[in-house]
């Protein structure tokens, strides 16, 4: 039909229109469905399209038939438990998780409540996913049927052995923080150090606060607190000497500092003041370091006041006491070569007394022991009175004035001289990038020792002991040692060889591989000494060193090292242990096994600077109940 529309075209248009509407509907549904699931609206929807089955299920539940309902509910709760476990597993690290067993118990009335057997309680009702965990537990009535569902829920907890503060400490500052807590040492005089720290901070802030007119009261408070702290710290250096009101003053100072920090000031001025105080503190520390080193040397080289008092009191008492009982029979022992003769060079009454007392106390028999003490004119009378009033079992003690035995031809030779001690610093590792050094104390005979053959003309063998020796075992076996043609039986220190002392010994010919020998405990063959004229060799070497411009004391120590070349008999190291006057690290087993202990070094046991753990061994052989010791306040 012309100008008209055929029925075929109309039907075709309708079909295309319906197809377009259907496509648009599908597109809209494809957009809405993801939104519904993302927003969680599906949790509130009920199963649609099956009202008859839902009513049937409810009616069965009312009649007590729980089979079908419990089965579907169990599947639903199990899916939720697995979902919870999956979320927690993503959020919680794999370490330190606690597994929790969740028990699902249905209750009459259709309500489902969950109980847990662990401290963590989880309430999993239908539609409650995402709600906070409840801490209380509902007690349901006993149901006809019971279904257990175990799900593995992992919750992070710190181990019981580790405190939470330790964990935060490690997280913030690293493992060093925990190490520092474990090996923390008690700070000595912590209150004094805290006061110095607060004073340092207050001084830094005070100039900036003093420039602010609006804070005049705070400036006055800071000045007053600074003056109080300076006065207290100038009078005390230990916590024991601080007054009782210090905590209150420290609290006031901290409050003033807190107020000063809350006020806006120029940080550059505070920083500049801090740097000035730091420079002054460094200069002060350097000054005190040098001063302490000087005072230390003065303390170790000067006789303590108490020992000087003891010597003076005994000297006065000697001249005031006209009648003294001298043992005439003992004088016969002094020249008997069959007895055991020990020679001690000393000007220290306490040191020589402890040496003799320890030797006699550890000897198997004291009747054959004879001690010869060589001292100077100043201490001769005090020494003589002391050993007349104090006896040491059956042993005999002779006190001699060394100055009486110095020949007139030796007018340049000073009086008594104790064994010479000097330090030798050696490099222990030459190939390491950082050089390491070790210091050894070497003691040798002084020029006084080379008068022994002339003083004891009737004796052929003696044992020379330093006054800083403590004897722990019987020494009678020393007299049975056969030294052959050697003259000096001594312990060698092979850590120091003569080759290490090239610059000290000069151009003299000597065996550079020879070990340095130690004085302290020496077995001397006087007959062999006289035969080789070693005293003459010593004086010749001293004269050679003096011609090179060396002073007499330094020349004597050098000559003493070279006089006994190839004439030293090496004693076993177990006879004497050296280092108790400077080495803090000596083992208790080595100290116990040594026959004698040598307190060589600066920290002698009769000084306050002596090493405490070694002083107790020495002090137990001292008679503290003596009248003169108590009057002079002698308490080493």
């Amino acid at each position: 039909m012309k100008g008209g529309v055929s029925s075929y075209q109309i039907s075709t248009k309708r079909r295309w229109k319906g197809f377009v509407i259907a496509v648009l509907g599908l597109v809209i549904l494809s957009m809405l469905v993801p939104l519904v699931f993302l927003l969680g609206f599906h949790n509130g929807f009920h199963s649609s399209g099956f009202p008859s089955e839902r009513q049937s299920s409810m009616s069965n539940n009312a009649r007590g038939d729980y089979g079908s309902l419990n089965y579907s509910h169990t599947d639903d709760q199990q899916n939720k438990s697995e979902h919870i476990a999956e979320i927690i597993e993503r959020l919680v690290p794999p370490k330190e998780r606690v597994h929790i067993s969740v028990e699902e118990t249905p209750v009459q009335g259709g309500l489902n409540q969950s109980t847990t057997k662990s401290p963590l309680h989880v309430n999993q009702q239908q539609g409650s996913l995402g709600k906070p965990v409840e801490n209380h537990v509902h007690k349901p009535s006993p149901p006809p049927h019971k279904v257990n569902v175990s799900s593995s829920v992992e919750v992070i907890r710190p181990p019981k052995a580790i405190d939470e503060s330790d964990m935060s400490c490690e997280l913030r500052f690293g493992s060093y923080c925990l190490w520092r807590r474990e090996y923390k040492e008690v700070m000595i005089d912590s209150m004094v150090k805290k006061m110095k720290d607060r004073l340092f901070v207050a001084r830094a802030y005070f100039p900036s606060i003093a420039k602010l007119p609006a804070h005049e009261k705070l400036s006055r408070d800071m000045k007053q607190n600074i003056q109080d702290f300076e006065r207290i710290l100038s009078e005390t250096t230990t916590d024991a000497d601080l007054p009782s009101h210090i905590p209150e003053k420290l609290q006031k100072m901290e409050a003033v500092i807190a107020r000063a920090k809350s006020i806006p000031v120029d940080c550059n001025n505070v920083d500049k003041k801090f740097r000035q105080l730091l420079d002054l503190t460094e200069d002060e520390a350097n000054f005190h370091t040098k001063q302490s080193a000087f005072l230390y040397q003065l303390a170790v080289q000067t006789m303590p006041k108490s020992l000087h008092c003891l010597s003076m009191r005994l000297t006065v008492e000697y001249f005031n006491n006209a009648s003294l009982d001298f043992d005439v029979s003992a004088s016969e022992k002094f020249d008997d070569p069959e007895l055991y003769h020990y020679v001690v060079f000393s000007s220290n009454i306490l040191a020589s007394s402890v040496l003799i007392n320890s030797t006699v106390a550890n000897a198997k028999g004291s009747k054959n022991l004879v001690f010869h003490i060589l001292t100077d004119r100043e201490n001769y009378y005090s020494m003589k009175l002391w050993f007349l009033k104090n006896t040491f079992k059956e042993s005999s003690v002779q006190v001699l004035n060394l100055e009486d035995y110095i020949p007139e031809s030796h007018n340049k030779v000073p009086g008594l001289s104790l064994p010479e001690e000097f330090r030798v610093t050696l490099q222990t590792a030459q190939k390491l990038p950082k050089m390491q050094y070790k210091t050894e104390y070497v003691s040798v005979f002084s020029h006084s020792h080379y008068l022994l053959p002339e003083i004891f003309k009737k004796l052929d063998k003696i044992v020379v002991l330093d006054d800083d020796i403590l004897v722990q075992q019987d020494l009678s076996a020393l007299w049975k040692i056969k030294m052959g043609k050697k003259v000096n039986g001594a312990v060698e220190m092979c850590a120091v060889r003569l080759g290490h002392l090239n610059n000290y010994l000069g151009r003299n010919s000597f065996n550079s591989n020879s070990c340095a020998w130690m004085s302290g405990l020496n077995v001397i063959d006087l007959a062999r000494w006289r035969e080789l004229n070693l005293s003459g060799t010593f004086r010749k070497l001293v004269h050679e060193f003096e011609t090179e411009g060396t002073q007499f004391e330094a020349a004597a120590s050098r000559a003493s090292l070279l006089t006994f070349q190839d004439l030293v008999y090496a004693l076993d190291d177990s006879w004497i242990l050296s280092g108790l006057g400077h080495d803090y690290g000596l083992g208790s087993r080595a100290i116990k096994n040594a026959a004698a202990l040598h307190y060589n070094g600066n920290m002698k046991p009769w000084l306050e600077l002596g090493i405490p753990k070694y002083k107790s061994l020495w002090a137990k052989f001292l008679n503290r109940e003596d009248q003169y010791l108590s009057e002079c306040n002698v308490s080493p």
Side-chain angles (χ1 to χ4, degrees), residues 41-74:
F41 293 154
H42 66 285
N43 289 333
F45 295 161
H46 299 288
S47 301
S48 59
F50 303 95
S52 60
E53 292 181 6
R54 187 173 180 80
Q55 292 176 359
S56 174
S57 175
M58 292 298 294
S59 62
N60 292 335
N61 189 16
R63 291 194 305 268
D65 187 7
Y66 290 88
S68 60
L69 179 60
N70 287 339
Y71 180 79
S72 60
H73 176 71
T74 299

Side-chain angles (χ1 to χ4, degrees), residues 501-516:
L501 307 175
N502 285 327
N503 296 331
Y504 182 71
L505 297 177
R507 296 188 299 270
N508 293 276
S509 59
F510 54 84
N511 185 4
S512 59
N513 291 325
S514 298
C515 299

Side-chain angles (χ1 to χ4, degrees), residues 82-94 97 152-155:
E82 293 176 356
H83 187 54
I84 293 173
E86 183 180 357
I87 294 174
I88 294 178
E89 185 176 2
R90 293 178 182 177
L91 298 177
V92 179
R97 292 174 178 168
S152 178
V153 181
E154 298 177 343
V155 180

Side-chain angles (χ1 to χ4, degrees), residues 195-430:
M195 291 179 63
K196 291 181 179 179
D197 179 71
R198 300 301 183 271
L199 179 61
F200 191 89
V201 177
R203 284 174 175 174
Y205 275 92
F206 176 71
S208 299
I209 299 298
K211 296 178 181 179
L212 303 176
H215 300 282
E216 184 178 356
K217 184 178 182 303
L218 176 59
S219 177
R220 290 197 306 268
D221 293 343
M222 290 190 72
K223 184 177 181 180
Q224 182 64 36
N225 281 274
I226 290 173
Q227 291 176 349
D228 291 345
F229 272 46
E230 289 176 343
R231 177 180 55 80
I232 294 172
L233 293 175
S234 65
E235 298 173 355
T236 59
T237 56
T238 60
D239 287 355
D241 299 334
L242 290 174
S244 58
H245 60 277
I246 284 301
E248 291 79 6
K249 286 189 171 295
L250 186 61
Q251 188 175 2
K252 291 180 180 179
M253 174 64 89
E254 291 178 346
V256 168
I257 293 174
R259 289 165 55 193
K261 288 182 177 181
S262 63
I263 297 174
V265 295
D266 189 357
C267 295
N268 292 328
N269 293 335
V270 177
D271 177 70
K272 186 183 297 183
K273 188 62 179 178
F274 265 120
R275 293 181 183 276
Q276 292 176 358
L277 292 173
L278 180 61
D279 293 339
L280 291 175
T281 305
E282 289 181 351
D283 294 341
E284 186 178 1
N286 293 332
F287 168 76
H288 286 298
T289 300
K290 295 178 181 178
Q291 187 182 45
S292 63
F294 170 76
L295 294 177
Y296 174 80
Q297 293 297 329
L298 185 65
V300 299
Q301 296 178 8
T302 306
M303 178 181 291
K305 182 180 179 180
S306 58
L307 296 185
H308 181 71
C309 169
L310 178 62
S311 179
M312 294 296 101
R313 291 293 301 271
L314 289 171
T315 302
V316 173
E317 183 66 22
Y318 179 87
F319 288 103
N320 289 337
N321 195 347
S323 59
L324 293 174
D325 297 331
F326 293 97
D327 189 1
V328 180
S329 61
S331 60
E332 299 178 356
K333 296 182 178 181
F334 298 153
D335 296 328
D336 189 352
E338 300 297 329
L339 302 180
Y340 299 157
H341 294 267
Y342 296 92
V343 179
V344 182
F345 291 83
S346 178
S347 60
N348 190 323
I349 297 174
L350 289 184
S352 56
S353 179
V354 169
L355 169 61
I356 295 175
N357 191 18
S358 62
T359 305
V360 173
N362 291 282
K364 295 180 180 179
S366 60
K367 187 176 181 179
N368 296 329
L369 302 183
V370 181
F371 296 91
H372 306 272
I373 300 179
L374 299 175
T375 185
D376 53 6
R377 192 181 304 277
E378 181 181 351
N379 296 282
Y380 171 71
Y381 298 102
S382 59
M383 281 272 196
K384 199 165 187 178
L385 180 63
W386 176 267
F387 288 104
L388 283 174
K389 287 182 171 293
N390 294 274
T391 59
F392 304 90
K393 294 185 179 181
E394 297 180 316
S395 64
S396 302
V397 180
Q398 181 187 25
V399 180
L400 300 175
N401 180 11
L402 182 68
E403 297 177 11
D404 295 338
Y405 295 90
I406 299 177
E408 295 181 359
S409 58
H410 301 164
N411 52 0
K412 294 183 179 180
V413 177
L416 174 69
S417 178
L418 299 179
E420 300 288 340
E421 288 188 353
F422 57 93
R423 293 179 298 174
V424 180
T425 302
L426 303 173
Q427 184 177 344
T428 58
Q430 299 180 356

